Amino acid sequence: MSVKGTAMTPPGLTELALESQQIQQQGYALLRQAIPPTWLAGLRQAFDEGVRPSAQWPVPRGPDWRHALVDLDPKVQALCRLPPLLAVVGALIGEDFFLAQVEGREPLGGGGYQRLHRDLSAQRPGDTVNAIAYLDDYGPANGATRLVPASHRGPFDAARADADFEAKAMQLEGKAGDILVFDADLVHAASVNRSGARRRSLLLGYFAKSLFGAHQQSAALRGVRMDTSEWFPAQG
């Protein structure tokens, strides 16, 4: 699913409004080739130069992942502001929002597996949206994301997630340049990187404007260095 064009229109029975409604119902959108192809080399370079071992982060990171500090890179910041991406984030949050965090992640060969889970909205359903910008091709072999459409509302028992949701999960597959945008409460997980092939990605977090105060209190613990004071309107 993709948002066509960059111009936003008032609510109504338009293609954009209908697509926004579908995005809200499904809890996610996969924007195919949203990143300009000419940007990818620079973004990969920013990722590779930003890789830091676990001990150099404020809070230790998982040992089976590479983590990259990239939030001050101009190319990364431009990606975070791509109009189709902001349009989907605005459709999911439904109010003014800000870019809270961006970092690089890559599962190592044989690593990366996660149980299905929710990242959880900070205060109320829908106030937090994540995005994964893929810098390499991704699929089942190198640990691509799996998710359960329309699973972002209603009860969720983490202890029963494997039994109740794994059969419903779909594993994504696509090309470098795609961006997955999803409600933080959508049930999802990374998979094992069986092939060992590179799967660099940028993980972006967007919060409703009302969460800015709480975000500032925890930003340092999450390694956030960038200015996060810019607001984006709900309609992108």
Side-chain angles (χ1 to χ4, degrees):
M1 187 189 311
S2 63
V3 175
K4 299 178 177 65
T6 59
M8 307 304 292
T9 57
L13 294 180
T14 64
E15 181 182 79
L16 177 61
L18 291 171
E19 191 166 65
S20 295
Q21 184 179 37
Q22 185 178 10
I23 290 169
Q24 292 163 3
Q25 291 172 346
Q26 294 297 303
Y28 80 98
L30 182 57
L31 307 179
R32 299 286 188 184
Q33 299 301 283
I35 304 172
T38 55
W39 291 18
L40 288 172
L43 291 167
R44 291 171 183 143
Q45 180 180 2
F47 182 105
D48 291 342
E49 292 177 352
V51 171
R52 300 288 185 275
S54 176
Q56 292 184 14
W57 291 82
V59 176
R61 303 303 173 102
D64 57 342
W65 291 76
R66 286 190 186 93
H67 294 270
L69 199 61
V70 296
D71 64 342
L72 297 181
D73 186 90
K75 299 177 290 295
V76 172
Q77 286 293 318
L79 180 152
C80 295
R81 289 164 173 77
L82 285 170
L85 169 58
L86 295 179
V88 175
V89 174
L92 285 168
I93 292 182
E95 60 186 280
D96 290 356
F97 60 94
F98 64 98
L99 172 65
Q101 184 172 359
V102 55
E103 65 179 58
R105 292 188 181 181
E106 178 183 17
L108 301 176
Y113 174 79
Q114 296 173 332
R115 292 188 62 179
L116 288 168
H117 64 280
R118 285 173 166 171
D119 289 339
L120 300 177
S121 297
Q123 293 183 359
R124 65 188 188 282
D127 63 18
T128 305
V129 166
N130 297 327
I132 301 175
Y134 294 99
L135 306 185
D136 296 297
D137 295 351
Y138 59 98
N142 64 351
T145 308
R146 60 195 196 280
L147 56 82
V148 182
S151 61
H152 55 307
R153 298 292 177 265
F156 176 72
D157 182 352
R160 292 179 53 82
D162 292 339
D164 293 345
F165 286 99
E166 198 67 64
K168 303 176 184 177
M170 55 180 286
Q171 189 161 43
L172 302 181
E173 185 169 4
K175 297 292 186 180
D178 294 352
I179 303 178
L180 170 66
V181 192
F182 60 99
D183 188 298
D185 291 319
L186 191 76
V187 177
H188 69 284
S191 302
V192 177
N193 184 355
R194 293 183 284 104
S195 70
R198 300 212 70 176
R199 188 174 71 72
R200 288 163 291 190
S201 67
L202 302 177
L203 177 63
L204 291 58
Y206 297 89
F207 292 174
K209 186 176 179 178
S210 58
L211 300 179
F212 188 68
H215 157 73
Q216 286 183 305
Q217 294 176 7
S218 64
L221 289 176
R222 291 178 283 113
V224 177
R225 305 169 299 169
M226 64 184 183
D227 180 8
T228 59
S229 62
E230 180 181 1
W231 310 125
F232 302 102
Q235 292 301 311

